[in-house]
């Protein structure tokens, strides 16, 4: 029987955090589903914005003066319906980055390769957030550009420096990363593809879509904690109405910050605690 | 710059409880470098659970498992310390073999050429670009072995690696395990079949119902089987049996002209027969089959009643 001869090997430089970022980047883009969902989704959203702007352009002469005064061109970038689509798509991609690991068993391979679980979660969160923010920014910028080009023919364009415009565009761009990270948290919690996608739709889209400001202040305060609700009733308006029944701009930004933060923490806790 | 690495796994008082099921109970053993250690036990014995605890995937209810004195769970680049194949299906079917390995290599700071090297080593270079969803079990098994080799680790764990491999593949992995051990690595190979490890392993760790049954060399383990002994064929069976019994052996008759003798070596049996003028037609040392020893030792601990309460 042979005796142990130590293996002599060249020492490779230690694994850095940016190697983990690169690994998560490869994992995200090597899935056909991600490429399709993000590529087709982005093009569809820009297309909807252009289509809606063309309709406005054609119908503009039939608008009453009151309608014309109430109209704001930045609303063409994301409508209620396209915002819902964006949130569902981004939330699903976020959920799939985690569910895709658990549902297939890949998580065991991943965590055997990198046993320090918090680093894996941190890298995943960072890559998903960065990719989704970029995607949101690109869709927002392209939609804004397209709708401006179309509407300028009616002299109803806006400038980026007009009050509220940049804030609305920022909120539009942030909707994707917020939804993606919340999706990730739900995915980590549920670890099941269909359940995670249904949860994303329910929590982020369906529930807030049914809610309207009420006479009960406690209900208004509760509603004002939902991302899509505050987007629709405050952040997407260049001049949000000042009413205690409606979310404030500051409060809305806090909601946009807290949801992804809590979701990322939840993902971290769930992934580091659970047996796989 | 070179680093000398010798891997050793130490499992100490390890237990794991899943609700009412005590899957692993107070398990202690060592996997030394330079050897292939077979990790044997019937279905449900707790082999996979133990391996998952060694890798920090499952938290032990009590006890510890260390690799080179350290728990595995906090390492940044696990592939460089331990290569493991737990379940060949632990991959995402939507990725290609190359993408799957590239992500793993990159996350451990390993150069990209390692991906091509290990794919060539397991003979999957030709299908590197194909999606894993279309891989057969044997191909996935090879990919799992490629994953384990990626970081050139001093410790390797394989859970039922032979499943799904063709005869040529089986021979190939056996040679691979022997080579990895000869290079000084600690290699642990689990199986529920003795025949899968008896030609590869130097040592055995045998468990049943989550408890240690044996930790010893293959030869020592074989000697435990009750069928070990000396077979003799002679026309004077009764006469020889009486003679050997007087000499202190235990003798059983196997038909009219054959005996099985334990307690005396074959040469000693031959000498005694010769000095007493007894004609022998056959004389052979019979080692118990390892399978036999394994079955006997685990018979009372085979846990076919899945989820049994204890
Ligand atoms: N995640 C789990 N939840 C509950 N019980 C489990 C879990 N994993 C394993 N068990 C139980 O623990 C025991 C040991 O299972 P384990 O998979 O470790 O056995 P094994 O030796 O690998 O068996 P096999 O040869 O069939 O692979 C079994 O009774 C099994 O039912
Ligand atoms: Mg098993």
């Amino acid at each position: 029987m042979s005796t142990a001869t130590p293996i002599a090997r060249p020492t490779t430089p230690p694994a850095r955090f940016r190697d983990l970022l690169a690994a998560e980047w490869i994992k995200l883009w090597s899935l056909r589903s991600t490429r399709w969902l993000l590529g087709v989704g982005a093009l569809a959203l820009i297309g909807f914005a252009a289509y809606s702007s063309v309709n406005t352009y054609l119908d503009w002469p039939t608008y009453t003066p009151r309608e014309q005064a109430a109209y704001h061109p930045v609303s063409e970038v994301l409508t209620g319906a396209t915002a819902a689509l964006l949130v569902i798509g981004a939330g699903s991609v976020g959920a799939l980055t985690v569910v895709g690991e658990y549902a297939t068993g890949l998580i065991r391979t991943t965590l055997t390769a990198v046993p320090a679980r918090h680093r894996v979660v941190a890298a995943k969160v960072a890559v998903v957030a960065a990719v989704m923010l970029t995607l949101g920014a690109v869709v927002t910028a392209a939609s804004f550009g397209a709708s401006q080009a179309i509407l300028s023919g009616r002299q109803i364009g806006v400038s980026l420096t007009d009050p509220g415009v940049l804030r609305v565009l920022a909120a539009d761009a942030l909707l994707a990363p917020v939804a993606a990270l919340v999706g990730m948290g739900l995915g980590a919690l549920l670890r099941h593809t269909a359940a995670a996608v249904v949860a994303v739709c329910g929590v982020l889209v369906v529930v807030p879509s049914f809610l309207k400001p009420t006479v009960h202040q406690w209900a208004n305060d509760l509603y004002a904690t939902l991302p899509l609700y505050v987007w629709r009733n405050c952040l997407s308006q260049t001049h949000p109405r000042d009413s205690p029944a409606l979310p404030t701009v500051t409060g809305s930004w806090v909601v946009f910050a807290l949801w992804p933060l809590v979701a990322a923490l939840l993902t971290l806790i769930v992934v580091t605690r659970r047996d796989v | 710059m070179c680093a000398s690495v010798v891997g050793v796994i130490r499992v100490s008082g390890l237990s794991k409880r899943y609700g009412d099921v005590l899957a692993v109970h107070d398990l202690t053993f060592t996997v030394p470098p330079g050897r292939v250690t077979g990790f044997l036990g019937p279905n449900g014995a707790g082999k996979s659970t133990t391996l998952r605890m060694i890798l920090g995937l499952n938290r032990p209810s009590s006890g510890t498992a260390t690799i080179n004195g350290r728990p595995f769970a906090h390492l940044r680049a696990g592939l460089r310390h331990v290569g493991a194949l737990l379940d060949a299906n632990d991959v995402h079917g939507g990725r290609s073999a190359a993408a799957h390995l590239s992500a793993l290599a990159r996350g451990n700071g390993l150069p990209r050429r390692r991906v091509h090297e290990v794919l060539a080593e397991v003979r999957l270079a030709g299908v590197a670009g194909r999606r894993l969803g279309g891989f057969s079990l044997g191909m996935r098994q090879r990919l799992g072995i490629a994953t384990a080799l990626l970081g050139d680790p001093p410790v390797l764990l394989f859970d039922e690696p032979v499943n799904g491999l063709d005869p040529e593949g089986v021979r190939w992995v056996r040679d691979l395990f022997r080579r990895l051990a000869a290079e000084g690595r600690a290699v642990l190979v689990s199986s529920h079949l003795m025949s899968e490890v008896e030609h590869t392993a130097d040592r055995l760790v045998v468990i049943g119902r989550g408890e240690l049954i044996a930790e010893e060399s293959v030869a020592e383990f074989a000697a435990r089987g009750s069928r070990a002994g000396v077979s003799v064929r002679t026309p004077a069976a009764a006469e020889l049996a009486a003679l050997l019994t007087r000499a202190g052996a235990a003798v059983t008759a196997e038909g009219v002209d054959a005996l099985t003798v334990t307690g005396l070596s074959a040469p000693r049996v031959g000498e005694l027969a010769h000095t007493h003028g007894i004609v022998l037609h056959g004389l052979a040392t019979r080692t118990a089959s390892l399978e036999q020893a394994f079955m006997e030792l685990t018979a009372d601990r085979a846990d076919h009643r899945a989820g049994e309460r204890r």
Side-chain angles (χ1 to χ4, degrees), chain A residues 2 5 7 9 11-13 19 23 27 30 32 104-106 108-109 112-113 115-117 119 273 275-276, chain B residues 1 3 5 16 35 56-59 72-73 75-76 78 80 89-90 95 103 106 108 131 152 183-185:
Chain A
S2 62
T5 22
I7 317 155
R9 323 174 291 167
T11 48
T12 13
D19 291 324
K27 275 162 69 176
S30 58
R32 216 184 281 173
T104 58
L106 174 65
R108 282 188 286 274
T109 308
T112 304
R117 299 186 185 190
R119 285 166 65 87
R273 291 281 164 87
D275 280 358
V276 292
Chain B
M1 201 170 35
V5 187
K16 180 71 182 183
R35 299 272 187 283
L57 298 175
N58 286 16
R59 210 182 291 268
F72 186 61
L75 296 175
R76 291 177 169 195
R80 299 191 196 181
N89 293 316
D90 288 347
R95 284 195 189 95
R106 190 62 208 266
N108 270 241
R131 280 156 36 111
D152 193 20
E183 287 167 352
R185 300 172 214 256

Side-chain angles (χ1 to χ4, degrees), chain B residues 242-268:
Chain B
L243 175 66
L244 294 174
T245 309
R246 277 199 303 279
V251 182
T252 33
E254 313 268 351
V256 284
D257 64 346
L259 302 173
T260 294
V261 184
T262 49
L264 280 180
S265 68
R268 191 78 193 103

Side-chain angles (χ1 to χ4, degrees), chain B residues 18 21 23 41-50 52 159-160 192 303 306-307:
Chain B
Y18 292 111
V21 181
N43 291 136
K47 303 179 295 293
S48 300
T49 304
T50 304
R52 285 200 301 270
D159 197 2
E160 317 257 359
H192 56 271
D303 195 350

Side-chain angles (χ1 to χ4, degrees), chain A residues 54-188:
Chain A
V54 167
N55 278 343
T56 306
Y57 176 91
L58 296 175
D59 295 345
W60 187 251
T62 70
Y63 277 32
T64 63
R66 236 182 111 212
E67 283 172 335
Q68 294 195 350
Y71 174 79
H72 201 290
V74 80
S75 66
E76 301 288 5
V77 173
L78 275 185
T79 64
T82 53
L85 275 183
L86 172 73
V87 165
I88 290 172
S92 301
V93 169
L96 287 177
T97 58
V98 175
V99 176
E101 298 250 355
Y102 279 97
T104 58
L106 174 65
I107 188 73
R108 282 188 286 274
T109 308
T110 301
L111 296 182
T112 304
V114 184
R117 299 186 185 190
H118 60 283
R119 285 166 65 87
V120 176
V121 174
K124 224 181 240 306
V125 166
V127 167
V128 168
V131 166
M132 288 302 176
L133 179 59
T134 308
L135 186 89
V138 166
V139 167
T140 303
S143 300
F144 183 69
S147 89
Q148 284 299 300
I150 293 162
L151 295 174
S152 61
R154 295 274 184 214
Q155 271 76 48
I156 44 174
V158 282
S159 148
L160 282 176
T161 53
D162 288 356
V165 170
L166 264 183
R167 199 234 315 119
V168 172
L169 293 178
D172 291 351
L174 282 167
L175 215 43
V178 168
L181 292 185
V182 172
M184 234 176 120
L186 291 170

